[in-house]
């Protein structure tokens, strides 16, 4: 069949060349051009008034929509009623959660003493057929139970990036990106959880490819095929991580926060919105509008929740979290979560917090970096609210 198709194409092109030669036009292989070029020269006039750009189409679809659950409440009572409906819809959009919690079966598989804090490596069960890895950092000096921050890394080598573990297993010098260590340095406990698809929770192909390779994309797209989302799977992991914190006597469960940068910021926002045990959410290098970031710029599929833009904007998710505390930081030069979109989303979130009567519980800061964690004002906010 392939040979027949090749012959037909040869005859078609030969016939076209003959027709062009009869009119004096440059033929196939002629210095002046080809039959294809002659045909293509007519295309601009034909398609000038057509719409062929895939991104422009998606943006036009977004612009034509009015999210069904956009926050419009004007007072605290209406805001509470809206939140009940919006939260349930968000749970449905991310794929829902298991009806029951399986036993955690936690095990501490490694303990290291760094003087100012101890670090435990823990494994626990989140679902019937899924386990999680996390590191619990607890300050050595404490007077009774301490606040805890659940920390999520962004795309990279996984949780070891935020607890300061080098590729060879040694401890790296302190740096801003190691925000789990930054938490314990400030007197908080930090539970840094390995996201599904990263580090020790990657698939075999990614593990074989090397430490920098993650299996986020195949896992996220498989989740969509199964009627789930990577956001939903990871939020449930986060909920089970908080379940684990509740088993530890060192932790004050009335003072739990979430913190993450980039993909970790996604998890911090969604987890804080959907788990009311979280008092404070801190979101770095993520908070934006769907239009300016997730739709306009190519991102990993773990960012996408089918149909969510039909219901709400990212700022509306902040509304589900309100009147609890939320802090957002963004880099002025972030190329994938542009600052203009971040400012628009922050303005919308501020309006929502104002409707709840607690505008001071939303904080926003811009730093001069790019796609990175700054933390200066974020840690000040955590210290003040926890």
């Amino acid at each position: 069949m392939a040979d027949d198709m090749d012959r037909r194409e040869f005859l078609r092109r030969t016939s076209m060349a003959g027709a062009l030669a009869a009119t004096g036009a440059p033929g196939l292989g002629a210095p002046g051009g080809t039959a294809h070029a002659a045909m293509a020269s007519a295309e601009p006039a034909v398609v000038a008034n057509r719409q062929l750009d895939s991104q422009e189409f998606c943006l036009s679809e977004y612009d034509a929509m009015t999210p069904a659950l956009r926050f419009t409440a004007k007072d605290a009572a209406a805001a509470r009623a809206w939140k009940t409906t919006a939260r349930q819809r968000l749970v449905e959009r991310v794929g829902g959660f298991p009806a029951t919690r399986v036993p955690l079966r936690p095990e501490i598989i490694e303990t290291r003493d760094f003087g100012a804090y101890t670090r435990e490596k823990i494994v626990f069960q989140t679902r019937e057929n899924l386990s999680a890895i996390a590191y619990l950092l607890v300050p050595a000096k404490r007077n009774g139970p301490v606040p805890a921050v659940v920390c999520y890394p962004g795309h990279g080598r996984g949780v070891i990036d935020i607890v300061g573990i080098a590729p060879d297993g040694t401890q790296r010098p302190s740096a801003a990106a190691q925000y789990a260590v930054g938490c314990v340095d400030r007197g908080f406990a930090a539970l840094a959880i390995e996201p599904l698809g990263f580090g020790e929770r990657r698939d075999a192909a990614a593990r074989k490819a090397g430490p920098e390779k993650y299996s986020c994309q195949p896992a996220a797209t498989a989740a969509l095929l199964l009627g789930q989302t990577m956001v939903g799977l990871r939020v449930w992991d986060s909920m089970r991580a908080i379940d684990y914190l509740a088993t530890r006597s060192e932790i004050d469960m009335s003072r739990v926060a979430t913190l993450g940068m980039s993909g970790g910021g996604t998890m911090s926002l969604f987890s804080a919105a959907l788990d009311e045990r979280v008092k404070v959410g801190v979101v770095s290098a993520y908070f934006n509008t769907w239009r300016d970031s997730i739709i306009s710029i190519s991102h990993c599929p773990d960012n996408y929740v089918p149909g969510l833009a039909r219901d709400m904007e990212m700022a509306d998710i902040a509304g589900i979290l309100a009147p609890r505390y939320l802090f957002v930081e963004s880099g002025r030069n972030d190329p994938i979560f542009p600052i203009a979109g971040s400012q628009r989303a922050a303005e919308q979130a501020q309006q929502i917090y104002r409707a709840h009567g607690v505008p001071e519980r939303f904080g926003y800061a811009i730093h001069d970096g790019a796609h990175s964690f700054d933390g200066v004002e974020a840690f000040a906010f955590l210290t003040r609210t926890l």
Side-chain angles (χ1 to χ4, degrees):
M1 184 177 292
D3 290 343
D4 289 342
M5 292 178 66
D6 290 342
R7 282 194 292 271
R8 286 198 297 270
E9 177 63 13
F10 173 78
L11 291 172
R12 184 188 70 80
R13 290 170 63 86
T14 302
S15 175
M16 183 181 297
L20 289 168
T23 62
L28 289 168
T34 66
H36 178 73
M39 294 172 64
S41 66
E43 288 180 358
V46 175
V47 301
N49 63 343
R50 302 289 182 166
Q51 299 85 33
L52 301 175
D53 189 298
S54 58
Q55 184 186 82
E56 288 181 3
F57 166 73
C58 292
L59 291 173
S60 69
E61 289 287 292
Y62 173 88
D63 291 339
M65 292 189 313
T66 298
L69 290 172
R70 173 177 288 171
F71 185 91
T72 58
K74 301 301 182 183
D75 55 51
R80 287 193 296 271
W82 169 87
K83 184 165 65 174
T84 299
T85 302
R87 184 186 185 281
Q88 183 55 44
R89 180 65 62 83
L90 184 58
V91 171
E92 293 169 359
R93 287 295 192 189
V94 301
F97 300 131
T100 59
R101 282 169 153 83
V102 300
L104 286 168
R105 294 166 40 211
E107 294 181 63
I108 299 172
I109 55 180
E110 175 188 282
T111 302
R112 291 193 61 182
D113 188 341
F114 293 92
Y117 68 94
T118 58
R119 188 184 72 206
E120 298 173 355
K121 184 177 181 180
I122 302 156
V123 61
F124 57 91
Q125 206 67 14
T126 65
R127 297 170 183 259
E128 194 67 44
N129 54 349
L130 186 64
S131 304
I133 289 284
Y135 290 91
L136 179 64
L137 287 62
V138 180
K141 293 182 179 180
R142 56 185 188 274
N143 296 314
V146 296
V149 183
V150 184
C151 298
Y152 318 89
H155 285 67
R157 296 181 310 137
V159 72
I160 61 175
D161 283 338
I162 62 172
V163 298
I165 300 176
D168 62 0
T170 60
Q171 192 69 11
R172 285 177 162 170
S174 182
Q178 300 166 21
Y179 39 85
V181 179
C183 287
V184 78
D185 285 345
R186 290 163 174 81
F188 311 133
L191 183 65
I193 185 168
E194 184 82 273
L196 189 61
F198 292 92
E200 294 187 62
R201 302 181 77 195
R202 298 176 294 161
D203 62 25
R207 291 196 300 271
K208 184 178 180 180
E212 301 294 332
K213 182 70 174 177
Y214 39 81
S215 59
C216 191
Q217 182 170 342
T221 49
L224 295 175
L225 193 62
L226 296 169
Q228 298 283 327
T229 66
M230 185 55 78
V231 169
L233 296 176
R234 289 176 178 163
V235 167
W236 184 252
D237 283 349
S238 177
M239 290 179 170
R240 299 315 315 274
I242 296 174
D243 289 345
Y244 174 73
L245 286 175
T247 71
R248 300 291 298 243
S249 61
E250 307 98 323
I251 306 303
D252 180 350
M253 290 300 294
S254 69
R255 295 186 290 166
V256 173
T258 60
L259 166 62
M261 173 246 167
S262 190
T266 312
M267 295 320 305
S268 183
L269 178 64
F270 279 82
S271 296
L274 293 175
D275 193 326
E276 294 192 347
R277 294 172 295 180
V278 176
K279 182 180 180 182
V280 187
V282 177
V283 179
S284 173
Y286 172 69
F287 200 72
N288 218 280
T289 69
W290 304 135
R291 192 188 203 283
D292 290 299
S293 58
I294 304 299
I295 295 177
S296 296
I297 298 169
S298 179
H299 285 271
C300 177
D302 68 352
N303 283 278
Y304 299 89
V305 175
L308 184 55
R310 291 187 172 277
D311 293 326
M312 62 191 77
E313 249 296 346
M314 198 182 295
D316 296 313
I317 300 175
I320 298 173
L321 197 159
R324 291 171 289 140
Y325 297 88
L326 176 63
F327 184 85
V328 171
E329 67 164 29
S330 297
R332 195 178 307 279
N333 302 301
D334 193 328
I336 59 174
F337 291 98
I339 192 62
S342 172
Q343 290 174 309
R344 277 189 280 272
E347 290 171 4
Q348 294 165 9
Q350 187 66 69
Q351 292 172 5
I352 292 172
Y353 270 77
R354 192 173 295 115
H356 280 84
V358 288
E360 74 284 357
R361 295 190 180 186
F362 176 77
Y364 179 61
I366 298 173
H367 60 83
D368 290 329
H371 189 64
S372 60
F373 177 77
D374 180 68
V376 175
E377 293 193 47
F379 280 128
F381 189 90
L382 277 173
T383 300
R384 185 169 68 253
T385 55
L386 285 183

